[in-house]
Amino acid sequence: MAQLPPGIHFITLFTRDQRYRAFIFVLTFLLYASFHLSRKPISIVKGELHKHCAASTEVELHSYKEYATQSQPVKKLPNESQCGWEPFDKNNYKQLLGALDYSFLCAYAIGMYLSGIIGERLPIRYYLTAGMLASGLFTAMFGFGYFYNVHNLWFYLVAQIANGLVQTTGWPSVVTCIGNWFGKGRRGFIMGIWNSHTSVGNILGSLIAAYWVSSCWGLSFVVPGVIIALMGIICFLFLIEHPKDINCSCTPPSSSRTYMNGTNRFRVQKPNLNTKETSQSQSPEMQQLLSDNENCATSLNINMPVSEENRNGTSPISFLGALRIPGVIEFSLCLLFAKLVSYTFLFWLPLYITNVEHLDAKRAGDLSTLFDVGGIFGGILAGIISDRLEKRASTCGMMLFLAAPTLYMFSAVSKMGLEATIVMLLISGALVNGPYALITTAVSADLGTHKSLKGNARALSTVTAIIDGTGSVGAALGPLLAGLISPSGWNNVFYMLMVADACALLFLVRLIQKELGCRMDHTLFKEH
């Protein structure tokens, strides 16, 4: 008998259920990375839509006007002006570019509240596929403006609004799907790795857009649009919404050991000699991810196994019902300000680097990816810390507390040279994106499977949409405020971001106090 190839031998080390989980993990990672990949081009192309020629000195302006007068009849292209792409070539370009960001993000915020409710009532695979195909169309539509020589602002605004609406199909769908497949054990760490799709998508989007930005910026949108549409087809062909859909044959756990993870850390469970009661007390949150004894017929944090009848028959939770879950309002408002900071960097960082470091649009776009590299490590670090401490709010609060002074340092140090900018981009990316990543993944999953839901597995999509939708309000406000404030100086933009971080921390104070109080009670209990 021939020896198995090493790769095949490695695959056989895992069970069928473990292989399916790994596949869903990778697939949903790539699916949502393509969403962020398609959102990034606008921030890269801003430096090309307005080439900042108005920032020259009076002498340079005078020389430029003389040169333009002589060379314009020969050199001027039919589809662009000397200062960029009309209508973004005027002195009010920052307000116009801010309007593009605001139109996308405002539509995204409004649509997100509806998306979770709709998503719970439709098959995830169809819903997500339709959203990705539509996202590809409207992303490419912005780039068509270059090829068809469109200079009407409303064309670009409509493309942004439509794209913002259809992109809301992504987040509630992938979080619900990954939630169906994975238990709560080490959720912060696993979802910290999984949530790096945000930064990976931003990095790939930046590199793809930067490749064509100087030569043909229309392709900076068309290529990402084609990529997300192709990923939509892959979603339709391969996405499995729930383990029950493929007759997951895992058996319920037989061990009576209690793992004190997450919100249940301080619950004291006395030994129970009754086998029936012991088996019922076990829940998927007590099991490690990818373990053979995990009950695949259940979803995240549900105390009783969920039958097929229960999964399909349970009524979706209402919007107000989701708001009544403890912690949803606090984390939603915290995310509003945390996402305000993150998305201001997402949409304005390349232009800031262009102005401060005097780099062209391509080099500025490449350099801005370091912020997302830092975000990858920040998300994973936040997950590890929150798992170890088993305190989600305290972990977010600690990173937010450190982020505010770091932003002040970034605004000062970035003017000292390229090397200092690189270091501060990595540190700022980790501290800014860490809380954002933790809240949108592990915290949302915790709250979407809260014990007050009594096993209603269909609430996760609505809870996720409420939290991310509220955060998207901040995501819409951040770039808009940056566009309005930046003409008075970039320092004022950073002051605004520091205030936003402080507000995010403020909304977590009550939850942090509650976590610390539980810790003290647990310590006193052990001493007695």
Side-chain angles (χ1 to χ4, degrees), residues 284-357:
E285 70 186 41
M286 305 306 180
Q287 304 161 33
Q288 300 295 333
L289 295 176
L290 296 178
S291 62
D292 287 332
N293 64 350
E294 179 171 357
N295 182 4
C296 294
T298 63
S299 56
L300 291 167
N301 186 21
I302 304 169
N303 292 328
M304 294 293 291
V306 180
S307 65
E308 183 69 21
E309 178 182 357
N310 189 29
R311 183 166 76 89
N312 294 330
T314 304
S315 300
I317 192 171
S318 66
F319 184 87
L320 293 178
L323 286 178
R324 284 193 287 267
I325 298 174
V328 167
I329 294 178
E330 289 92 338
F331 276 112
S332 296
L333 294 175
C334 173
L335 185 63
L336 186 151
F337 290 99
K339 206 167 181 178
L340 183 153
V341 178
S342 180
Y343 268 66
T344 300
F345 275 96
L346 174 68
F347 283 91
W348 284 93
L349 182 58
L351 185 62
Y352 171 77
I353 295 175
T354 299
N355 293 343
V356 173
E357 299 293 340

Side-chain angles (χ1 to χ4, degrees), residues 334 338 374-386 391-407 426-439 501-502 504-505 508 512:
C334 173
I376 294 175
F377 292 104
I380 296 174
L381 181 63
I384 293 174
I385 294 175
S386 68
K391 294 179 176 63
R392 308 291 195 206
S394 299
T395 302
C396 292
M398 176 180 62
M399 300 187 80
L400 290 169
F401 181 78
L402 296 174
T406 302
L407 292 177
L426 292 170
I427 297 175
S428 300
L431 294 176
V432 168
N433 286 337
Y436 164 38
L438 187 63
I439 293 173
D501 264 329
L505 177 59
L508 290 182
I512 293 173

Side-chain angles (χ1 to χ4, degrees), residues 59-223:
V59 176
E60 291 173 332
L61 279 174
H62 179 70
S63 301
Y64 169 78
K65 289 179 180 178
E66 290 183 353
Y67 172 79
T69 303
Q70 297 174 4
S71 61
Q72 185 174 2
V74 179
K75 296 290 185 180
K76 185 177 180 181
L77 298 175
N79 60 353
E80 68 177 335
S81 68
Q82 293 292 338
C83 289
W85 187 268
E86 189 182 350
F88 307 103
D89 57 342
K90 305 298 189 299
N91 290 333
N92 64 340
Y93 73 98
K94 289 184 178 179
Q95 287 78 10
L96 296 182
L97 294 175
L100 291 180
D101 298 338
Y102 184 73
S103 60
F104 173 89
L105 294 168
C106 188
Y108 185 87
I110 295 172
M112 184 59 73
Y113 288 109
L114 301 175
S115 180
I117 298 174
I118 297 174
E120 285 186 355
R121 292 158 174 80
L122 296 175
I124 288 179
R125 182 166 62 94
Y126 297 140
Y127 186 57
L128 186 55
T129 298
M132 297 184 77
L133 292 176
S135 295
L137 172 63
F138 293 118
T139 299
M141 177 180 169
F142 197 104
F144 292 156
Y146 175 86
F147 297 104
Y148 291 97
N149 198 22
V150 178
H151 298 282
N152 190 317
L153 178 64
W154 282 103
F155 173 84
Y156 299 103
L157 289 176
V158 169
Q160 288 287 86
I161 292 172
N163 199 16
L165 288 173
V166 297
Q167 289 234 346
T168 59
T169 59
W171 188 243
S173 299
V174 295
V175 171
T176 300
C177 186
I178 200 76
N180 289 337
W181 279 88
F182 290 92
K184 187 175 179 180
R186 299 172 62 202
R187 178 185 289 169
F189 173 65
I190 295 297
M191 284 197 163
I193 297 176
W194 180 73
N195 192 66
S196 63
H197 54 50
T198 297
S199 297
V200 170
N202 289 340
I203 292 171
L204 293 176
S206 297
L207 296 177
I208 292 172
Y211 184 81
W212 280 289
V213 65
S214 299
S215 58
C216 180
W217 64 259
L219 289 176
S220 296
F221 290 92
V222 173
V223 173

